[in-house]
Amino acid sequence: MSEPLRLGVIGCGMIAQAHAAAIRLLQEDGVVRAVAAADPDDDGVERFAAIVGGLERRSRDGLDIVRDDEVDAVVLITPTRFHRDYVLAVAAAGKPLFTEKPLAPTFPVVRELCTAVAASGIPAQVGFQSRFHPIVRRLREIVETGELGAPMGYTLRDDQYWPTGAIVPGHTSWRSDVAEAGGGALLEHSIHSCDVLGWIFGPVSRIYGTKRHVFGYTVEDTAALTIEHDNGVVGNLVTIFNGVRGREERRLEVFFEQGALELTTDFVVGAPEDSLLIQRPDQPAERVDVAALRAEWFTRDGCDPERQVWVYQFFAHRAFAQSLQAGRAPSPGFADALHAHAMVEAGYRSCERRVPVELSEVLGDA
Ligand SMILES: NC(=O)c1ccc[n+]([C@@H]2O[C@H](COP(=O)([O-])OP(=O)(O)OC[C@H]3O[C@@H](n4cnc5c(N)ncnc54)[C@H](O)[C@@H]3O)[C@@H](O)[C@H]2O)c1
């Protein structure tokens, strides 16, 4: 077996704890080893260190991680506005990168980072962990095999409690400020769904969007998109940051030529909300055993189905390390992120202009 991939982590806040839980399990498997972490907040680093165990080096400056000769790959988990400088530094250093989404608050910076990463040739993965959800994977398999015929249209609802300190004690509040976050429910949260929709139904051609700011922040808490894909599939996405603490769900209904399905997913492995219902012609609807489905996908992935994994970041980090070991480009990568960001940007431009916006305009004019 090859040596564990030595990870250096920049940013040890809220979601870094999910990464830490994933990394800890992968350390047990000898796949990775967290050797260094940086955050201006010492408590954050200590919290991260307590979860992963055995952290060798700590810093308040993320550039120490980039410069560290004993860090093989960098994991970037700072608030979104700090991604730019670190991504450029990691690309310049030629190190593999696993970065959280969104790539940046504004689309021109997203373009800049995608160009820099492509030019540098570094292997880079983006934190769209929904792609590793067994129900999402099963849906993609149904679309790819055509077992229900071609997909025709879909309706998707994302909702999440407001992930900001004013609503959830202990959370930071940068997500409420458009200058820091770049956007609200659509960019910060539903970029995951934009990625999933592009991954499953293919590239998007056109988007019409509208949004609201019900809670009075500078970022939107409510947005609705009508989405047209290049292959003709049409759908809509409604995303809400609401006041119901603890709630974060994706509800998707897909209509095919010969069937329909309804799925609900949550961000935690084995969440009670998870469900999948498949309707075929002239048959009672099949309520899929999601625990069995999860065990099947764990097994297909070479992971013990009894393993106590609670975050999909486990599969994302595992795929990242395996890609580097095999010399493959990690996935989802920056090109995937560019498409998801272009969907969000087209949505925002459409909200401003109140007319549909072509993705070719967004991708061509930056
Ligand atoms: N994939 C997902 O589902 C998911 C979920 C939540 C957050 N995120 C993304 O992860 C990133 C972090 O979000 P969070 O919720 O953990 O934020 P957070 O505010 O809870 O934590 C961010 C941490 O980064 C630290 N930090 C700030 N400036 C820094 C700098 N210059 N260098 C190093 N560290 C610095 C802060 O001190 C803090 O500890 C964001 O981009 C967010 O959009 C992704």
PDB file of all heavy atoms in Angstrom, residues 70-95:
ATOM      1  N   GLU A  70       6.077  19.244   3.701  1.00  0.00           N
ATOM      2  CA  GLU A  70       5.540  17.933   4.071  1.00  0.00           C
ATOM      3  C   GLU A  70       4.027  17.853   3.911  1.00  0.00           C
ATOM      4  O   GLU A  70       3.402  16.903   4.369  1.00  0.00           O
ATOM      5  CB  GLU A  70       5.990  17.588   5.482  1.00  0.00           C
ATOM      6  CG  GLU A  70       7.498  17.504   5.472  1.00  0.00           C
ATOM      7  CD  GLU A  70       8.112  16.948   6.724  1.00  0.00           C
ATOM      8  OE1 GLU A  70       7.363  16.566   7.626  1.00  0.00           O
ATOM      9  OE2 GLU A  70       9.347  16.933   6.760  1.00  0.00           O
ATOM     10  N   VAL A  71       3.467  18.861   3.266  1.00  0.00           N
ATOM     11  CA  VAL A  71       2.046  18.810   2.884  1.00  0.00           C
ATOM     12  C   VAL A  71       1.981  18.432   1.406  1.00  0.00           C
ATOM     13  O   VAL A  71       2.494  19.144   0.548  1.00  0.00           O
ATOM     14  CB  VAL A  71       1.356  20.170   3.138  1.00  0.00           C
ATOM     15  CG1 VAL A  71       0.018  20.262   2.419  1.00  0.00           C
ATOM     16  CG2 VAL A  71       1.173  20.401   4.631  1.00  0.00           C
ATOM     17  N   ASP A  72       1.358  17.272   1.132  1.00  0.00           N
ATOM     18  CA  ASP A  72       1.244  16.816  -0.264  1.00  0.00           C
ATOM     19  C   ASP A  72       0.090  17.504  -0.977  1.00  0.00           C
ATOM     20  O   ASP A  72       0.142  17.723  -2.184  1.00  0.00           O
ATOM     21  CB  ASP A  72       0.962  15.305  -0.320  1.00  0.00           C
ATOM     22  CG  ASP A  72       2.060  14.489   0.326  1.00  0.00           C
ATOM     23  OD1 ASP A  72       3.239  14.851   0.144  1.00  0.00           O
ATOM     24  OD2 ASP A  72       1.732  13.494   1.016  1.00  0.00           O
ATOM     25  N   ALA A  73      -1.019  17.762  -0.249  1.00  0.00           N
ATOM     26  CA  ALA A  73      -2.224  18.332  -0.867  1.00  0.00           C
ATOM     27  C   ALA A  73      -2.895  19.266   0.127  1.00  0.00           C
ATOM     28  O   ALA A  73      -2.868  19.023   1.342  1.00  0.00           O
ATOM     29  CB  ALA A  73      -3.196  17.222  -1.267  1.00  0.00           C
ATOM     30  N   VAL A  74      -3.497  20.329  -0.405  1.00  0.00           N
ATOM     31  CA  VAL A  74      -4.108  21.359   0.447  1.00  0.00           C
ATOM     32  C   VAL A  74      -5.629  21.217   0.416  1.00  0.00           C
ATOM     33  O   VAL A  74      -6.222  21.016  -0.653  1.00  0.00           O
ATOM     34  CB  VAL A  74      -3.713  22.769  -0.048  1.00  0.00           C
ATOM     35  CG1 VAL A  74      -4.444  23.851   0.732  1.00  0.00           C
ATOM     36  CG2 VAL A  74      -2.196  22.961   0.054  1.00  0.00           C
ATOM     37  N   VAL A  75      -6.248  21.327   1.591  1.00  0.00           N
ATOM     38  CA  VAL A  75      -7.713  21.311   1.711  1.00  0.00           C
ATOM     39  C   VAL A  75      -8.130  22.706   2.171  1.00  0.00           C
ATOM     40  O   VAL A  75      -7.702  23.166   3.231  1.00  0.00           O
ATOM     41  CB  VAL A  75      -8.179  20.245   2.732  1.00  0.00           C
ATOM     42  CG1 VAL A  75      -9.698  20.218   2.800  1.00  0.00           C
ATOM     43  CG2 VAL A  75      -7.618  18.872   2.369  1.00  0.00           C
ATOM     44  N   LEU A  76      -8.951  23.373   1.360  1.00  0.00           N
ATOM     45  CA  LEU A  76      -9.273  24.786   1.591  1.00  0.00           C
ATOM     46  C   LEU A  76     -10.718  24.928   2.058  1.00  0.00           C
ATOM     47  O   LEU A  76     -11.650  24.600   1.315  1.00  0.00           O
ATOM     48  CB  LEU A  76      -9.038  25.554   0.284  1.00  0.00           C
ATOM     49  CG  LEU A  76      -9.292  27.054   0.286  1.00  0.00           C
ATOM     50  CD1 LEU A  76      -8.510  27.762   1.390  1.00  0.00           C
ATOM     51  CD2 LEU A  76      -8.924  27.633  -1.071  1.00  0.00           C
ATOM     52  N   ILE A  77     -10.896  25.426   3.299  1.00  0.00           N
ATOM     53  CA  ILE A  77     -12.240  25.471   3.904  1.00  0.00           C
ATOM     54  C   ILE A  77     -12.479  26.814   4.582  1.00  0.00           C
ATOM     55  O   ILE A  77     -13.144  26.896   5.614  1.00  0.00           O
ATOM     56  CB  ILE A  77     -12.432  24.314   4.933  1.00  0.00           C
ATOM     57  CG1 ILE A  77     -11.643  23.058   4.559  1.00  0.00           C
ATOM     58  CG2 ILE A  77     -13.914  23.978   5.080  1.00  0.00           C
ATOM     59  CD1 ILE A  77     -11.770  21.902   5.561  1.00  0.00           C
ATOM     60  N   THR A  78     -11.935  27.885   4.034  1.00  0.00           N
ATOM     61  CA  THR A  78     -12.158  29.219   4.618  1.00  0.00           C
ATOM     62  C   THR A  78     -13.484  29.787   4.101  1.00  0.00           C
ATOM     63  O   THR A  78     -14.044  29.271   3.125  1.00  0.00           O
ATOM     64  CB  THR A  78     -11.047  30.196   4.190  1.00  0.00           C
ATOM     65  OG1 THR A  78     -11.143  30.373   2.773  1.00  0.00           O
ATOM     66  CG2 THR A  78      -9.676  29.679   4.550  1.00  0.00           C
ATOM     67  N   PRO A  79     -13.970  30.891   4.696  1.00  0.00           N
ATOM     68  CA  PRO A  79     -15.097  31.594   4.078  1.00  0.00           C
ATOM     69  C   PRO A  79     -14.761  31.883   2.606  1.00  0.00           C
ATOM     70  O   PRO A  79     -13.591  32.108   2.240  1.00  0.00           O
ATOM     71  CB  PRO A  79     -15.214  32.876   4.902  1.00  0.00           C
ATOM     72  CG  PRO A  79     -14.684  32.493   6.252  1.00  0.00           C
ATOM     73  CD  PRO A  79     -13.550  31.542   5.957  1.00  0.00           C
ATOM     74  N   THR A  80     -15.781  31.927   1.781  1.00  0.00           N
ATOM     75  CA  THR A  80     -15.619  31.954   0.323  1.00  0.00           C
ATOM     76  C   THR A  80     -14.711  33.089  -0.166  1.00  0.00           C
ATOM     77  O   THR A  80     -13.923  32.902  -1.100  1.00  0.00           O
ATOM     78  CB  THR A  80     -17.025  32.072  -0.312  1.00  0.00           C
ATOM     79  OG1 THR A  80     -17.837  31.027   0.238  1.00  0.00           O
ATOM     80  CG2 THR A  80     -16.975  31.953  -1.806  1.00  0.00           C
ATOM     81  N   ARG A  81     -14.784  34.272   0.468  1.00  0.00           N
ATOM     82  CA  ARG A  81     -14.024  35.414  -0.074  1.00  0.00           C
ATOM     83  C   ARG A  81     -12.516  35.224   0.050  1.00  0.00           C
ATOM     84  O   ARG A  81     -11.746  35.929  -0.593  1.00  0.00           O
ATOM     85  CB  ARG A  81     -14.467  36.715   0.596  1.00  0.00           C
ATOM     86  CG  ARG A  81     -14.067  36.870   2.053  1.00  0.00           C
ATOM     87  CD  ARG A  81     -14.747  38.088   2.644  1.00  0.00           C
ATOM     88  NE  ARG A  81     -14.348  38.371   4.014  1.00  0.00           N
ATOM     89  CZ  ARG A  81     -14.788  37.710   5.084  1.00  0.00           C
ATOM     90  NH1 ARG A  81     -15.589  36.665   4.948  1.00  0.00           N
ATOM     91  NH2 ARG A  81     -14.403  38.062   6.296  1.00  0.00           N
ATOM     92  N   PHE A  82     -12.071  34.288   0.902  1.00  0.00           N
ATOM     93  CA  PHE A  82     -10.629  34.059   1.040  1.00  0.00           C
ATOM     94  C   PHE A  82     -10.115  32.980   0.087  1.00  0.00           C
ATOM     95  O   PHE A  82      -8.910  32.720   0.037  1.00  0.00           O
ATOM     96  CB  PHE A  82     -10.289  33.663   2.488  1.00  0.00           C
ATOM     97  CG  PHE A  82     -10.652  34.722   3.492  1.00  0.00           C
ATOM     98  CD1 PHE A  82     -11.674  34.514   4.412  1.00  0.00           C
ATOM     99  CD2 PHE A  82      -9.984  35.945   3.508  1.00  0.00           C
ATOM    100  CE1 PHE A  82     -12.021  35.490   5.329  1.00  0.00           C
ATOM    101  CE2 PHE A  82     -10.324  36.926   4.426  1.00  0.00           C
ATOM    102  CZ  PHE A  82     -11.345  36.704   5.334  1.00  0.00           C
ATOM    103  N   HIS A  83     -11.031  32.332  -0.652  1.00  0.00           N
ATOM    104  CA  HIS A  83     -10.576  31.233  -1.516  1.00  0.00           C
ATOM    105  C   HIS A  83      -9.583  31.719  -2.574  1.00  0.00           C
ATOM    106  O   HIS A  83      -8.621  31.022  -2.891  1.00  0.00           O
ATOM    107  CB  HIS A  83     -11.774  30.571  -2.219  1.00  0.00           C
ATOM    108  CG  HIS A  83     -12.666  29.798  -1.279  1.00  0.00           C
ATOM    109  ND1 HIS A  83     -13.815  29.171  -1.693  1.00  0.00           N
ATOM    110  CD2 HIS A  83     -12.583  29.548   0.050  1.00  0.00           C
ATOM    111  CE1 HIS A  83     -14.395  28.575  -0.667  1.00  0.00           C
ATOM    112  NE2 HIS A  83     -13.668  28.794   0.401  1.00  0.00           N
ATOM    113  N   ARG A  84      -9.873  32.916  -3.156  1.00  0.00           N
ATOM    114  CA  ARG A  84      -9.079  33.355  -4.312  1.00  0.00           C
ATOM    115  C   ARG A  84      -7.580  33.319  -4.042  1.00  0.00           C
ATOM    116  O   ARG A  84      -6.820  32.666  -4.789  1.00  0.00           O
ATOM    117  CB  ARG A  84      -9.490  34.773  -4.730  1.00  0.00           C
ATOM    118  CG  ARG A  84      -8.653  35.303  -5.886  1.00  0.00           C
ATOM    119  CD  ARG A  84      -9.016  36.737  -6.269  1.00  0.00           C
ATOM    120  NE  ARG A  84      -8.173  37.209  -7.341  1.00  0.00           N
ATOM    121  CZ  ARG A  84      -6.974  37.758  -7.164  1.00  0.00           C
ATOM    122  NH1 ARG A  84      -6.479  37.914  -5.941  1.00  0.00           N
ATOM    123  NH2 ARG A  84      -6.250  38.149  -8.198  1.00  0.00           N
ATOM    124  N   ASP A  85      -7.142  34.011  -3.005  1.00  0.00           N
ATOM    125  CA  ASP A  85      -5.694  34.127  -2.779  1.00  0.00           C
ATOM    126  C   ASP A  85      -5.073  32.759  -2.506  1.00  0.00           C
ATOM    127  O   ASP A  85      -3.959  32.476  -2.958  1.00  0.00           O
ATOM    128  CB  ASP A  85      -5.414  35.079  -1.608  1.00  0.00           C
ATOM    129  CG  ASP A  85      -5.713  36.528  -1.989  1.00  0.00           C
ATOM    130  OD1 ASP A  85      -6.043  36.770  -3.177  1.00  0.00           O
ATOM    131  OD2 ASP A  85      -5.633  37.400  -1.111  1.00  0.00           O
ATOM    132  N   TYR A  86      -5.802  31.927  -1.785  1.00  0.00           N
ATOM    133  CA  TYR A  86      -5.242  30.599  -1.480  1.00  0.00           C
ATOM    134  C   TYR A  86      -5.221  29.695  -2.720  1.00  0.00           C
ATOM    135  O   TYR A  86      -4.253  28.978  -2.950  1.00  0.00           O
ATOM    136  CB  TYR A  86      -6.032  29.928  -0.347  1.00  0.00           C
ATOM    137  CG  TYR A  86      -5.733  30.519   1.021  1.00  0.00           C
ATOM    138  CD1 TYR A  86      -6.759  30.968   1.850  1.00  0.00           C
ATOM    139  CD2 TYR A  86      -4.426  30.621   1.487  1.00  0.00           C
ATOM    140  CE1 TYR A  86      -6.486  31.504   3.107  1.00  0.00           C
ATOM    141  CE2 TYR A  86      -4.144  31.159   2.737  1.00  0.00           C
ATOM    142  CZ  TYR A  86      -5.176  31.595   3.549  1.00  0.00           C
ATOM    143  OH  TYR A  86      -4.906  32.127   4.782  1.00  0.00           O
ATOM    144  N   VAL A  87      -6.285  29.734  -3.516  1.00  0.00           N
ATOM    145  CA  VAL A  87      -6.302  28.897  -4.728  1.00  0.00           C
ATOM    146  C   VAL A  87      -5.133  29.296  -5.636  1.00  0.00           C
ATOM    147  O   VAL A  87      -4.408  28.427  -6.152  1.00  0.00           O
ATOM    148  CB  VAL A  87      -7.648  29.015  -5.478  1.00  0.00           C
ATOM    149  CG1 VAL A  87      -7.563  28.344  -6.850  1.00  0.00           C
ATOM    150  CG2 VAL A  87      -8.776  28.393  -4.658  1.00  0.00           C
ATOM    151  N   LEU A  88      -4.931  30.613  -5.795  1.00  0.00           N
ATOM    152  CA  LEU A  88      -3.833  31.073  -6.664  1.00  0.00           C
ATOM    153  C   LEU A  88      -2.479  30.649  -6.090  1.00  0.00           C
ATOM    154  O   LEU A  88      -1.571  30.231  -6.827  1.00  0.00           O
ATOM    155  CB  LEU A  88      -3.905  32.590  -6.850  1.00  0.00           C
ATOM    156  CG  LEU A  88      -5.138  33.102  -7.615  1.00  0.00           C
ATOM    157  CD1 LEU A  88      -5.138  34.628  -7.698  1.00  0.00           C
ATOM    158  CD2 LEU A  88      -5.227  32.497  -9.021  1.00  0.00           C
ATOM    159  N   ALA A  89      -2.347  30.710  -4.768  1.00  0.00           N
ATOM    160  CA  ALA A  89      -1.068  30.317  -4.137  1.00  0.00           C
ATOM    161  C   ALA A  89      -0.826  28.809  -4.294  1.00  0.00           C
ATOM    162  O   ALA A  89       0.298  28.378  -4.574  1.00  0.00           O
ATOM    163  CB  ALA A  89      -1.083  30.701  -2.656  1.00  0.00           C
ATOM    164  N   VAL A  90      -1.882  28.029  -4.135  1.00  0.00           N
ATOM    165  CA  VAL A  90      -1.727  26.564  -4.263  1.00  0.00           C
ATOM    166  C   VAL A  90      -1.403  26.205  -5.709  1.00  0.00           C
ATOM    167  O   VAL A  90      -0.525  25.364  -5.975  1.00  0.00           O
ATOM    168  CB  VAL A  90      -3.014  25.832  -3.790  1.00  0.00           C
ATOM    169  CG1 VAL A  90      -2.907  24.337  -4.031  1.00  0.00           C
ATOM    170  CG2 VAL A  90      -3.277  26.113  -2.312  1.00  0.00           C
ATOM    171  N   ALA A  91      -2.071  26.877  -6.650  1.00  0.00           N
ATOM    172  CA  ALA A  91      -1.795  26.621  -8.075  1.00  0.00           C
ATOM    173  C   ALA A  91      -0.341  26.988  -8.393  1.00  0.00           C
ATOM    174  O   ALA A  91       0.366  26.240  -9.079  1.00  0.00           O
ATOM    175  CB  ALA A  91      -2.768  27.405  -8.948  1.00  0.00           C
ATOM    176  N   ALA A  92       0.120  28.122  -7.854  1.00  0.00           N
ATOM    177  CA  ALA A  92       1.507  28.548  -8.103  1.00  0.00           C
ATOM    178  C   ALA A  92       2.498  27.567  -7.489  1.00  0.00           C
ATOM    179  O   ALA A  92       3.580  27.328  -8.039  1.00  0.00           O
ATOM    180  CB  ALA A  92       1.726  29.955  -7.542  1.00  0.00           C
ATOM    181  N   ALA A  93       2.110  26.971  -6.356  1.00  0.00           N
ATOM    182  CA  ALA A  93       3.000  26.012  -5.691  1.00  0.00           C
ATOM    183  C   ALA A  93       2.941  24.633  -6.359  1.00  0.00           C
ATOM    184  O   ALA A  93       3.754  23.760  -6.039  1.00  0.00           O
ATOM    185  CB  ALA A  93       2.607  25.898  -4.213  1.00  0.00           C
ATOM    186  N   GLY A  94       1.963  24.438  -7.233  1.00  0.00           N
ATOM    187  CA  GLY A  94       1.861  23.163  -7.960  1.00  0.00           C
ATOM    188  C   GLY A  94       1.372  22.011  -7.110  1.00  0.00           C
ATOM    189  O   GLY A  94       1.646  20.846  -7.417  1.00  0.00           O
ATOM    190  N   LYS A  95       0.609  22.311  -6.043  1.00  0.00           N
ATOM    191  CA  LYS A  95       0.118  21.228  -5.170  1.00  0.00           C
ATOM    192  C   LYS A  95      -1.323  20.863  -5.495  1.00  0.00           C
ATOM    193  O   LYS A  95      -2.122  21.743  -5.849  1.00  0.00           O
ATOM    194  CB  LYS A  95       0.184  21.671  -3.706  1.00  0.00           C
ATOM    195  CG  LYS A  95       1.584  21.773  -3.191  1.00  0.00           C
ATOM    196  CD  LYS A  95       1.622  21.885  -1.677  1.00  0.00           C
ATOM    197  CE  LYS A  95       3.085  21.855  -1.248  1.00  0.00           C
ATOM    198  NZ  LYS A  95       3.264  21.962   0.177  1.00  0.00           N
TER     199      LYS A  95
END
